[in-house]
């Protein structure tokens, strides 16, 4: 049992690192149509993420590998239950990766615009789908003997969509902060203003999602049973609050670190609330959930 708990912690940690690292890449890609208005500015956005994006995605593969190695039943059921969403996620990441690798090799303006569109759609869709998937894990999915009941629309419930919107907003903020660190002059100012505005959006959405979580999920049960665990959501709140004064003081490195701490803490908040479940079933949870 102790070994299972250790691997459960490692599983959560790898997802947290993935969200922290690839999150700012996805955020910058999603910001492209709104911040980059000409070829020079678009190149700045690509250069801000270009050296790091493929390395950051290794954490996604590692998280999947740990699921397969340590929790094979969870892996089998998860990839079956979420196969439509995971297929869309993989396609989004492929399209995004192609746009990174081929944009500089395209000779026409139309080809570069297509790559920019793929970068935006691949980044935004991936961020939303990750949020939808994890919100469904927290809420539970209709599982019977390891088989998901219902259709893809079952996964697109209001709570899951709210999770997708929150993930996108958090990654947009994370990406804007990284862009403010990596750029100068006009793009730096645009990224700083975007980060300042997005902080309010993330704060409002986070509060609303926490309330929605208390209504829709059993996620708070473990915290009420063991109050010391409240240090995890408290750390997430403190980190989010710390982002705002750091932006105001133009200390964007500090703001990005606070944002990273917030993302890691939020991930652990969800996983600790989920424990000992890995796939919670909404149909007779005691017998159909996978722990």
């Amino acid at each position: 049992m102790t070994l299972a708990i250790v691997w459960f912690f490692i599983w959560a940690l790898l997802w947290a690192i993935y969200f922290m690292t690839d999150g700012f890449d996805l955020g910058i890609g999603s910001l492209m149509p709104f911040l980059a208005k000409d070829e020079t500015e678009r190149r700045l956005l690509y250069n801000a993420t270009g050296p790091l994006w493929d390395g950051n995605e290794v954490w996604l593969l590692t998280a999947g590998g740990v699921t397969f190695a340590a929790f094979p039943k969870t892996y089998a059921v998860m990839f079956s239950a979420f196969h439509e969403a995971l297929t869309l996620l993989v396609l989004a990441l492929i399209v995004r990766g192609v746009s990174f690798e081929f944009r500089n090799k395209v000779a026409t303006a139309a080809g570069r615009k297509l790559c920019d569109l793929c970068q935006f759609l691949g980044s935004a869709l991936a961020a939303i789908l990750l949020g939808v998937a994890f919100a469904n894990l927290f809420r539970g999915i209709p599982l019977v003997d390891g088989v998901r009941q219902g259709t893809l629309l079952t996964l697109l419930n209001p709570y899951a969509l709210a999770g997708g919107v929150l993930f996108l907003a958090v990654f947009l903020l994370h990406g804007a902060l990284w862009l403010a660190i990596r750029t100068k002059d006009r793009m730096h100012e645009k990224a700083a203003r975007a980060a300042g505005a997005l902080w309010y959006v993330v704060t409002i959405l986070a509060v609303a999602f926490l309330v929605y979580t208390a209504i829709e999920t059993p996620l708070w049960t473990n915290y009420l049973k063991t109050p010391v665990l409240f240090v995890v959501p408290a750390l997430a709140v403190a980190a989010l609050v710390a982002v705002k004064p750091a932006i105001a003081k133009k200390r964007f490195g500090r703001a990005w670190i606070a944002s990273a701490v917030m993302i890691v803490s939020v991930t652990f908040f969800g996983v600790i609330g989920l424990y000992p479940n890995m796939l919670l079933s909404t149909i007779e949870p005691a017998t159909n959930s996978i722990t």
Side-chain angles (χ1 to χ4, degrees):
M1 184 62 181
T2 301
L3 186 59
I5 294 172
V6 170
W7 277 110
F8 187 78
F9 174 82
I10 294 172
W11 179 75
L13 179 63
L14 290 172
W15 279 112
I17 294 174
Y18 171 67
F19 294 146
M20 178 184 68
T21 54
D22 206 33
F24 69 81
D25 289 346
L26 296 175
I28 291 175
S30 302
L31 285 168
M32 184 166 291
F34 309 103
L35 294 186
K37 300 303 182 184
D38 56 37
E39 179 64 15
T40 300
E41 292 184 340
R42 283 188 282 272
R43 284 186 176 276
L44 285 173
L45 266 65
Y46 278 102
N47 290 338
T49 55
L52 302 168
W53 73 271
D54 48 355
N56 291 340
E57 286 193 354
V58 170
W59 293 106
L60 177 62
L61 300 177
T62 309
V66 166
T67 311
F68 174 77
F71 306 106
K73 184 176 181 180
T74 297
Y75 179 90
V77 176
M78 180 184 293
F79 277 71
S80 174
F82 291 106
H83 71 274
E84 305 100 333
L86 288 172
T87 299
L88 287 173
L89 174 61
V90 170
L91 288 174
L93 293 175
I94 289 172
V95 165
R96 174 172 168 262
V98 168
S99 70
F100 270 117
E101 295 297 334
F102 284 89
R103 190 182 190 279
N104 290 335
K105 299 175 176 63
V106 175
T108 64
R112 288 192 292 271
K113 286 183 179 179
L114 178 60
C115 286
D116 295 338
L117 178 62
C118 290
Q119 177 70 202
F120 166 68
L121 293 177
S123 298
L125 183 59
I128 292 169
L129 287 172
L130 287 167
V132 167
F134 269 79
N136 273 303
L137 289 180
F138 301 152
R139 180 178 182 269
I141 54 179
L143 286 176
V144 176
D145 295 330
V147 179
R148 191 198 75 201
Q149 310 301 303
T151 65
L152 176 62
L153 294 178
T154 307
L155 301 178
L156 298 178
N157 54 79
Y159 179 75
L161 293 175
V165 172
L166 177 62
F167 263 56
L168 178 59
V170 169
F171 290 166
L172 287 172
L173 172 61
H174 204 45
L177 291 170
W178 182 260
L179 198 58
I181 295 170
R182 293 294 303 275
T183 58
K184 299 177 181 179
D185 303 325
R186 183 182 175 188
M187 181 53 69
H188 171 83
E189 294 300 325
K190 290 168 74 171
R193 287 197 299 271
L198 284 165
W199 183 86
Y200 291 102
V201 175
V202 170
T203 301
I204 293 169
L205 290 175
V207 171
F209 190 74
L210 284 175
V211 174
Y212 203 0
T213 295
I215 297 170
E216 283 287 317
T217 78
L219 222 59
W220 287 101
T221 303
N222 285 342
Y223 293 91
L224 295 174
K225 287 181 179 178
T226 313
V228 69
L229 295 175
F230 274 101
V231 69
V232 177
L235 180 60
V237 171
L240 178 58
V241 170
V243 171
K244 184 59 176 173
I247 293 175
K249 295 176 182 177
K250 300 187 181 300
R251 295 180 177 177
F252 295 103
R254 182 178 296 181
W256 188 87
I257 291 172
S259 176
V261 171
M262 183 264 293
I263 290 172
V264 171
S265 301
V266 166
T267 304
F268 272 98
F269 160 71
V271 173
I272 289 171
L274 191 62
Y275 180 85
N277 299 297
M278 296 194 75
L279 290 174
L280 177 65
S281 177
T282 55
I283 302 173
E284 298 184 12
T287 56
N288 288 313
S289 296
I290 299 176
T291 67

